[in-house]
């Protein structure tokens, strides 16, 4: 019904009612625009009502009944409008009003009158009945506080009598008597007696008697009267008239004013206050004012499906989106209202709130709101403490609430988009090596917050832990035992079980500590293995509603995630829970023979094979592979004989997982004796049962399968499963040859022939296939690095993830269709990951074959000359490095780029002279890009790039021609030594760039070891390079965990090129050593090499240092002056600092990029550094022009005025010795002059320096020009309305006139502007202007 009937109106319209034609119609009450009658309240009368006595024989009367007796009918809103109750239509002769006829009959029996009397009596009775019964019963009369006056009532009664007489005049006397007899026969004697008595009371007792008749009539007479009314329901509508429209709010306020100061009678509680806010829900929904929403935007509202409801949109009330909140006119629910409803006492409200929150979070996780909701939904809910509310909701007993809470918690923790990508990524090369989401050594549990020393340490609360780390906080509040209880005792449905298992998987991926908590939770793993991973189960191919008693794929994925955390956990899973028996039970039978639904059986087999691959990654589970080795051979042969195009996607994914197991087995078989030694002892690891003969037996069927499948992929289709299968086979063959090259020193003729056959056979088919052409075209679009702007960071700090979200979202707006589904986005990104992986597998195989057979280099590496591939590399080089630092898929791409650089180095060594310089520059920039992006866990790649690629002389093709000695020195041995220094020019002569480049090129032999040493000292832990080597080169027996460290940032800092200078500066601050007159030779060589290398990159590889801000470079160059007292005076250091200063100040574009107010990594404050630099200048500079140039850079007008004040106020002695000529200014002098100084303190400092003679044109021409320019410009500027500014102008002008040096006074008064040709740096006017003379005269 939910799928077919979208609204309740459609459901009601489909209902078929019984035939009611023979049933008398009910009495139709008068229509009203108000949904409910108004709430009356007690009033204080002159004689207050007393509560009924406690002891009485008569039944107690209600409060309303007593009030009804003590008031007239108009008090209850029975209003008679002008014109009566309306004019009824003529009565057909065959229809007679029973009440009128009965009343006539009664009158005739009593007085024996004429027909006119009958008509008058009947009219009076009819009028009375309608007035006092119809109005009160319908409730429409209760609309006011006063009724009609007695005169108006008489007029109304008279008018009604006349109308009734007109009706009866249409009948003859005989017809009236006949109808009377019929009525008498129908009515009983008691009813006739009642009507006759009522007539007497009505004619003599007035209104009070009529009220008494209505209230005290017998039940049977009332029933008969109601039946008569039902017969004339249609005529009643015609007789009614519209009542006056009075707004509900006005009536409420009017009654509140009337009742002010009244006191409820004694004995009745809480009846003295009119609570208007509780009556507002009965009013109409206010109209939506779109302009008001635009003037004061408020919190975003969502529909029950999680869609954003735009402000100002009119939504029908029957959709159920309006409620009694702060904005009743606005449809939908805010996050705050939904969170409030989660703790409602009403079960349905809690369920509705939890389900709606779940849908909202799911859409936010898929980035379907884009920038419409700020701050992001998940951030807001985490700050509001929603995870703790969900944890409390799990403690309820209602299964529906438990299920909704689990779904909501699952929506917060688990991203379906990320899970699908990680599932596909697991089929890629080293796909099980996922990074943790928190550092492996982070503090877990019991963390305390330190306060002042005098205060006691306070333990971190649950809310604080959740705010810091959501997963740790949930574990702290005992989420795991509660989930175990739900699984073991509550036994929910299949959907809730799957959600719980995915939540546990997400917790295990958090860190090693979280995985240990899951594994050690009491009885949790027992429940998982007993209920969801049994060895035996009842076979059924139908999808059931329960997940118990059968193996669940998500349970196996949970076990795989636990195994990825470490060798120790995997060993316990195998020994305690018989993991290998379960894996073999799920792998060996064909999926159709497992007694499970087809999709579940294939997925279970795939997850089991992946889990087995993780175990083999530690060298565990080898005996099972040895026992089932023949099965794997048969599977490979079967895969080679089957046509790829006819194999389904589940079978292909299962086949890819099987190839992963074979590849892990080859890694174990390739272990050498050196890899079996225990670190720190002489003991050795027992050799595994998998030997090299197993790997050799897998090669031939793997090659046959690869050739057969490549022949089938002729259409160039980009099906994900086919790409993954071909990619896994390429990696399997590549791993075989890589391990073969490690085990043997030389190759036989048969092996060389096999390498040639592979290059000319399967790989040649692959390169020429449409598939590979599609791969080359899709490299750029599939790259994470080249498309870094397509990923955005939406993770809360307490809930990191493995991926970013895509920028192009599905906009989830109420009433608008979504552009594309999340499944389409996942599929596109998974295909992109597979494209990178298949190209990586091809290059790995080519590189391994070339290592064995050098003659295959040109054939194997021809793909590097492709224009499409070079476009991909250029896009990678030009992409920013910061946005994609936390995408886990970037690891595979970085390994691909590293391999590309290594393959290119092989080609460069062979074809150096024929290689294009632009191509060399491109690959060199790629190497620097990889170096700057490598995260933790890839330290081995960094060390290999530093020592073997980055500083190789061949890479600097612009300088390497004819420099054989440099190449020989680089290859002959790398050591940290100072090469023979070339003859340096005098310090006073500016060095040329070519000389510095030549010297830098000569020093390349010492650069690698210098940076490698600094890298190992500062950027990585001890043994980190070795651990990284074991993981990257796949040494299973030496790997302790395939869970790599988090990739939150790169290992090397952005300013890694200046790392030696940074370390020397930090050490000088820590040691606080005396400045020795002479610098140490090792320090001089290190600083010189660093500066020259930086200049080399600035001139030849600017892209490598492009993202390092200019202010960071200059700040670190300033640190050179602070490292040692006279280090900057060394010729090589001085020359390098000089050319770098010219490099950074050569263009106006670079000067505009300079901003000393930006934060500088490693420095607390640039002001402190500059203050130290000024003090150092005063101590050891001797007025050095180079030192002066660096000191002048921060004095530009666009920088912080505190920097200028530091020089002019805190260190005035420096002014005398800062004697840099104007011609040697590092930047144009205009940057020191404009905009004109307006700071009063700085202007007074200028004036004091000029007046005291500390600043003179002969001593410090630049500072003198600065002071004269700003004083003159400010003094003779237009007077402003600011009184303080005018006072300062007069004060400075008086100071100018008091200057004793006439020449200086003339400069201050007649200054005309800067002029480079003039010896003073400025020119003068001939005389003062009229305005200037007037200003002086005013003094």
């Amino acid at each position: 019904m939910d799928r077919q009937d979208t609204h309740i109106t459609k459901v009601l319209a489909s209902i078929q009612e019984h035939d009611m034609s023979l049933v008398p119609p009910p009495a139709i009450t008068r229509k009203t625009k108000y949904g409910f009658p108004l709430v009356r309240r007690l009033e204080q009368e002159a004689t207050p009502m007393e509560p009924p006595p406690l002891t009485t024989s008569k039944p107690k009367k209600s409060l309303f009944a007593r009030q009804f007796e003590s008031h007239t009918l108009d008090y209850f809103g029975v209003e008679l409008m002008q014109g009566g109750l309306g004019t009824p239509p003529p009565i057909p002769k065959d229809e007679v009003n029973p009440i009128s006829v009965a009343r006539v009959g009664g009158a005739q029996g009593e007085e024996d009158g004429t027909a006119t009397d009958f008509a008058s009596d009947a009219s009076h009775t009819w009028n009375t009945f309608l007035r006092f019964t119809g109005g009160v019963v319908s409730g429409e009369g209760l609309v006011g506080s006063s009724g009609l006056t007695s005169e108006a009532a008489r007029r109304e009664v008279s008018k009604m009598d006349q109308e009734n007489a007109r009706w009866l005049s249409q009948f003859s006397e005989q017809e009236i008597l006949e109808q009377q007899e019929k009525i008498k026969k129908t009515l009983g004697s008691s009813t006739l007696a009642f009507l006759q008595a009522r007539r007497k009371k009505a004619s003599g007792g007035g209104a009070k008697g009529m009220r008494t008749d209505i209230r005290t009539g017998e039940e049977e007479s009332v029933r008969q009267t109601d039946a008569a009314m039902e017969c004339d329901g249609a005529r009643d509508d015609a007789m009614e008239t519209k009542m006056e429209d009075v707004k509900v709010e006005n009536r409420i306020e009017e009654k509140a004013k009337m009742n002010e100061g009244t006191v409820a009678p004694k004995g009745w509680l809480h009846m003295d206050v009119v609570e208007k806010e509780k009556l507002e829900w009965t009013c109409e929904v206010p109209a939506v004012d779109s302009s008001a929403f635009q003037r004061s935007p408020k919190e975003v509202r969502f529909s029950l499906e999680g869609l954003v409801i735009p402000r100002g949109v009119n939504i029908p009330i029957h959709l159920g989106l309006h409620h009694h909140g702060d904005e009743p006119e606005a449809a939908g629910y805010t996050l705050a209202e939904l969170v409030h409803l989660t703790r409602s006492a009403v079960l349905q409200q809690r369920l509705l709130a939890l389900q709606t929150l779940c849908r909202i979070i799911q859409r936010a996780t898929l980035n379907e709101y884009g920038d419409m909701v700020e701050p992001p939904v998940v951030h807001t809910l985490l700050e509001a403490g929603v995870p703790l509310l969900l944890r409390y909701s799990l403690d309820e007993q209602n299964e529906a609430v438990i299920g909704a809470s689990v779904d909501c918690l699952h929506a917060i923790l688990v991203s379906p988009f990320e899970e699908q990508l990680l599932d596909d990524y697991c089929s890629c090369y080293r796909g099980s090596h996922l990074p943790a989401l928190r550092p492996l050594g982070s503090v877990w549990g019991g963390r305390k917050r330190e306060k002042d020393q005098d205060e006691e340490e306070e333990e971190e609360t649950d809310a604080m832990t959740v705010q810091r780390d959501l997963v740790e906080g949930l574990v702290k509040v005992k989420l795991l035992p509660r989930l175990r209880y739900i699984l073991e005792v509550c036994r929910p449905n299949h959907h809730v079980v799957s959600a719980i298992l995915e939540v546990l998987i997400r917790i295990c991926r958090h860190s090693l500590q979280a995985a240990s908590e899951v594994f050690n939770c009491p009885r949790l793993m027992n429940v998982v293995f007993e209920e969801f991973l049994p060895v035996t189960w009842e076979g059924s191919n139908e999808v059931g509603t329960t997940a118990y008693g059968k193996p669940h794929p998500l349970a196996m994925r949970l076990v795989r995630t636990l195994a990825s955390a470490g060798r120790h956990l995997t060993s316990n899973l195998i020994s305690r829970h018989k993991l290998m028996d379960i894996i073999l039970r799920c792998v060996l039978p064909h999926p159709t023979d497992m007694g499970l639904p087809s999709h579940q059986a294939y997925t279970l087999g795939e997850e089991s094979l992946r889990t087995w691959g993780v175990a083999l990654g530690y060298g565990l589970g080898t005996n099972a592979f040895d026992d089932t080795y023949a099965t794997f051979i048969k599977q490979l042969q079967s895969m080679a004989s089957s046509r790829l195009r006819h194999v389904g996607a589940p079978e292909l994914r299962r086949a890819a997982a099987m190839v992963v197991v074979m590849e892990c087995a080859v890694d174990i078989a390739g272990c050498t004796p050196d890899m079996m030694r225990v670190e720190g002892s002489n003991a050795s690891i027992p050799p595994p049962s998998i030997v090299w003969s197993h790997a050799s037996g897998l090669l031939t069927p793997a090659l046959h399968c690869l050739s057969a499948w490549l022949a089938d992929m002729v259409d160039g289709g980009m099906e994900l499963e086919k790409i993954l299968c071909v990619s896994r086979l390429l990696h399997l063959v590549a791993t075989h040859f890589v391990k073969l090259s490690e085990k043997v020193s030389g190759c036989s003729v048969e092996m060389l022939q096999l390498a040639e056959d592979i290059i000319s056979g399967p790989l040649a088919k692959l390169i020429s296939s449409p598939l590979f052409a599609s791969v080359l075209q899709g490299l750029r679009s599939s790259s994470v690095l080249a498309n870094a702007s397509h990923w955005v960071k939406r993770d809360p700090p307490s809930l990191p993830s493995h991926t970013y979200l895509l920028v192009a979202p599905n906009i989830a707006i109420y009433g608008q269709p979504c552009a594309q589904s999340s499944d389409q986005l996942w599929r596109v990104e998974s295909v992109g990951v597979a494209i990178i992986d298949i190209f990586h597998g091809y290059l790995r195989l080519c590189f391994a074959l070339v290592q064995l057979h050098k003659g295959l280099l040109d054939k194997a590496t021809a793909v590097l000359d492709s224009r499409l591939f070079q476009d991909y590399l250029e896009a990678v080089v030009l992409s920013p490095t910061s946005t994609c630092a936390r995408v886990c898929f970037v690891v595979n791409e970085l390994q691909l780029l590293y391999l590309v650089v290594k393959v290119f180095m092989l080609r460069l060594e062979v074809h150096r002279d024929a290689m294009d310089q632009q191509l060399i520059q491109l690959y060199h920039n790629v190497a620097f890009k990889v170096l700057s992006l490598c995260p933790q866990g890839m330290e081995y790649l960094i060390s290999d790039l530093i020592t073997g690629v980055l500083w190789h002389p061949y890479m600097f093709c612009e300088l390497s021609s004819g420099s054989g000695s440099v190449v020989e020195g680089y290859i002959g041995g790398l050591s940290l030594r100072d090469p023979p220094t070339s003859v340096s020019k005098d310090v006073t002569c500016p060095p040329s760039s070519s000389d510095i480049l030549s010297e830098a090129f000569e020093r390349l032999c010492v650069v690698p070891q210098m940076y490698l040493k600094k890298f190992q000292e500062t950027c990585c832990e001890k043994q980190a390079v070795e651990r990284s080597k074991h993981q990257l080169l796949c040494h299973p027996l030496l790997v302790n965990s395939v869970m790599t460290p988090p990739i939150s940032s790169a290992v090397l800092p952005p300013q890694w090129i200046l790392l030696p200078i940074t370390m020397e500066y930090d050490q000088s601050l820590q040691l606080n050593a005396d400045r020795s007159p002479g610098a140490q030779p090792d320090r001089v060589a290190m600083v010189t090499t660093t500066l020259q290398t930086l200049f080399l990159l600035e001139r030849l590889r600017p892209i490598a240092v492009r993202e390092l801000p200019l202010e960071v470079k200059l700040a670190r160059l300033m640190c050179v002056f602070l490292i040692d007292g006279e280090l900057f005076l060394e010729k090589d250091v001085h020359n390098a600092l000089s050319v770098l200063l010219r490099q950074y100040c050569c263009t106006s574009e670079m000067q505009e990029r300079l901003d000393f107010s930006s934060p500088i990594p490693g420095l607390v404050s640039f002001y402190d550094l500059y203050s130290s630099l000024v003090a150092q200048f005063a101590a050891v500079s001797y007025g050095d022009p180079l030192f002066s140039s660096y000191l002048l850079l921060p004095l530009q007008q666009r920088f912080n005025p505190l920097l200028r004040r530091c020089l002019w106020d805190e260190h005035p002695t420096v002014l005398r010795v800062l004697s840099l000529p104007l011609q040697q200014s590092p930047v144009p002098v205009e940057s020191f002059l404009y905009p004109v100084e307006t700071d009063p303190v700085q202007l007074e400092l200028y004036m004091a320096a000029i007046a005291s003679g500390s600043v003179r044109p002969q001593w410090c021409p630049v500072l003198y020009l600065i002071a004269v320019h700003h004083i003159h410009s400010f003094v003779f500027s237009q007077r402003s309305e600011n009184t303080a500014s005018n006072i300062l102008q007069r004060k400075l002008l008086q100071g100018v006139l008091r200057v004793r040096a006439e020449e200086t006074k003339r400069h201050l008064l007649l200054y005309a502007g800067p002029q480079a040709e003039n010896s003073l740096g400025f020119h003068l006017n001939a005389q003062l202007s009229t305005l200037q003379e007037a200003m002086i005269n005013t003094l």
Side-chain angles (χ1 to χ4, degrees), residues 1097-1127:
L1097 296 182
E1098 291 285 358
R1099 294 299 299 269
L1100 302 183
R1101 302 292 180 266
I1103 296 180
V1105 291
R1106 176 193 58 183
E1107 296 192 7
L1108 187 60
L1110 183 57
E1111 58 270 11
V1112 175
K1113 300 175 185 177
L1114 288 173
R1116 288 307 176 186
L1117 294 183
M1118 293 177 182
C1119 292
V1120 175
F1121 297 95
L1122 301 174
I1123 292 176
D1124 200 297
E1126 297 181 356
L1127 178 63

Side-chain angles (χ1 to χ4, degrees), residues 1156-1170:
F1156 287 115
S1157 61
S1158 302
I1160 298 175
L1163 294 180
V1164 178
S1165 168
F1166 179 77
Y1167 176 83
D1168 296 339
L1169 175 67
Y1170 185 71

Side-chain angles (χ1 to χ4, degrees), residues 151 162 805 956 1324:
E151 184 64 28
Q162 294 175 5
L805 297 175
F956 296 95
L1324 302 175

Side-chain angles (χ1 to χ4, degrees), residues 80-231:
L80 295 177
M81 303 180 66
Q82 187 174 0
L85 294 176
T87 303
I91 303 176
K93 293 184 178 182
D94 56 346
E95 297 182 6
V96 181
N97 192 321
I99 298 181
S100 300
V101 178
R103 186 66 192 89
V104 171
Q108 185 185 25
E110 182 182 352
E111 300 179 0
D112 196 21
T114 61
T116 303
D117 296 330
F118 296 157
S120 177
D121 294 340
S123 172
H124 190 79
T125 303
W126 175 260
N127 207 9
T128 302
F129 183 83
L130 286 181
R131 179 181 178 191
F132 298 120
T133 304
V136 174
V137 172
S138 66
E140 205 170 51
L142 302 176
V143 295
S145 58
S146 61
L148 298 173
T149 61
S150 58
E151 184 64 28
R154 284 193 294 272
R155 287 198 302 269
E156 291 295 329
V157 171
S158 176
K159 189 173 182 179
M160 294 178 186
D161 289 340
Q162 294 175 5
E163 292 176 355
N164 291 335
R166 180 175 59 81
W167 293 341
L168 294 177
S169 64
Q170 299 179 12
F171 296 91
S172 63
E173 181 177 355
Q174 185 63 28
E175 292 174 340
I176 294 176
L177 293 176
E178 291 177 358
Q179 294 295 332
Q180 177 183 352
E181 292 299 329
K182 292 181 180 180
I183 295 293
K184 287 181 179 181
K185 294 178 181 179
T186 304
L187 300 177
S189 58
S190 60
T191 304
L192 292 176
F194 165 72
L195 293 175
Q196 292 173 357
R198 179 177 171 183
R199 169 59 181 161
K200 293 179 181 179
K201 295 178 181 180
S203 59
K208 185 175 180 180
M210 288 184 285
R211 277 199 312 273
T212 306
D213 291 343
I214 294 174
R215 289 194 303 270
T216 61
E218 295 178 3
E219 182 177 359
E220 182 180 359
S221 63
V222 173
R223 185 169 61 252
Q224 295 290 345
T225 306
D226 291 342
M229 284 293 297
E230 293 172 0
C231 296

Side-chain angles (χ1 to χ4, degrees), residues 49-63:
M49 295 182 296
E50 296 294 337
L54 297 179
T55 57
T56 176
S57 60
K58 297 182 179 180
K60 297 181 181 179
K61 293 184 178 181
S62 66
L63 181 64

Side-chain angles (χ1 to χ4, degrees), residues 245-273:
D245 291 336
V246 181
K247 292 185 176 180
V248 176
E249 294 83 353
N250 296 340
R251 293 200 301 271
I252 294 175
E253 294 178 0
E254 179 182 357
K255 291 299 298 179
K257 293 179 180 179
M258 293 173 57
N259 297 326
E260 286 181 358
T262 62
V263 180
K266 295 181 179 180
W268 307 102
L269 298 178
H270 310 303
M271 303 295 289
D272 55 344
V273 178

Side-chain angles (χ1 to χ4, degrees), residues 821-1075:
S821 64
S822 59
D823 293 340
Q824 294 174 340
L825 293 175
W826 150 68
R827 199 74 178 178
V828 171
E829 294 304 316
S830 295
V831 171
V833 173
I835 288 176
I836 296 295
D837 189 61
I838 191 174
F839 196 83
H840 186 199
Y842 167 77
L843 274 185
R844 280 192 71 221
L845 181 54
C846 291
F847 186 73
L849 294 176
V850 169
Q851 291 286 77
L852 297 175
H853 194 333
K854 303 296 183 182
L856 301 176
L857 178 62
D858 294 336
K859 289 183 180 180
T861 61
V863 68
L864 300 184
D865 298 329
S866 171
R867 184 66 254 179
L868 291 174
F869 183 69
Q870 293 176 11
D871 290 342
Y872 158 68
L873 295 180
E874 291 176 356
V876 169
V877 168
L878 297 177
S879 64
T881 60
S882 57
T883 55
C884 56
R886 280 191 44 222
V887 182
C888 68
F889 313 128
V890 77
V891 176
N892 255 16
E893 190 169 0
L894 289 175
Q895 294 184 40
L896 167 63
L897 295 175
Y898 165 78
L899 192 59
V900 166
V901 173
K902 296 291 286 185
V903 172
F904 180 78
M905 287 299 300
L906 294 178
R907 298 186 68 191
L908 186 60
E909 293 175 358
V910 177
H911 305 290
R912 171 193 172 193
D913 297 333
M915 196 68 68
D916 185 18
Q917 287 192 3
Q918 293 184 353
L919 196 60
I920 297 176
Q921 294 174 5
L922 174 62
Y923 283 92
H924 201 188
N925 288 326
V926 170
F928 279 108
K929 187 73 174 182
V930 174
L931 182 76
S932 63
L933 283 175
C934 282
Q936 292 183 5
M938 302 184 72
E939 292 84 358
Y940 174 73
L941 297 189
I942 295 177
S943 62
D944 189 56
L945 286 173
I946 291 177
T947 57
V949 177
L950 295 179
W951 315 114
H952 197 287
Y954 288 167
M955 281 297 192
F956 296 95
C957 52
E958 300 88 344
L959 303 175
S960 61
S961 58
S963 55
S965 60
V966 176
V967 178
E968 292 175 1
Y970 179 86
I971 299 176
L974 303 176
S975 61
L976 185 59
R977 56 184 177 86
D978 189 15
T981 57
S982 58
V983 178
S984 301
K985 299 182 180 180
D986 190 81
V987 173
T988 58
C989 299
S992 64
S993 300
S994 59
D995 295 339
I996 300 299
L997 289 176
S998 299
E999 294 179 13
F1001 189 72
E1002 293 290 335
R1003 289 179 179 268
L1004 283 179
C1005 57
V1006 299
V1007 171
Q1009 289 300 326
M1010 179 187 71
Y1011 279 103
L1012 184 61
K1013 180 180 178 181
K1014 298 301 180 183
F1015 163 68
Q1016 294 176 352
E1017 290 178 357
T1018 59
C1019 299
C1020 64
E1021 300 176 356
K1022 187 178 181 180
Q1023 305 299 329
V1025 176
E1026 287 298 321
R1027 290 198 304 267
S1028 173
K1029 178 181 178 180
H1030 297 326
Q1031 285 191 340
L1032 294 176
L1033 299 184
C1034 297
H1035 298 160
L1037 303 180
L1038 301 177
V1039 174
N1040 292 322
S1041 175
V1042 298
M1043 180 181 288
T1044 60
I1047 54 174
S1048 57
S1049 61
V1051 176
L1052 288 176
Q1055 64 275 17
W1056 64 269
I1057 191 65
L1058 296 167
L1059 192 59
I1061 294 178
T1062 303
M1063 293 182 61
E1064 290 294 330
Y1065 172 70
D1066 294 340
Q1067 291 177 4
S1068 66
L1069 293 179
Q1070 295 174 2
L1071 297 177
N1072 196 18
D1074 297 333
R1075 306 293 181 180

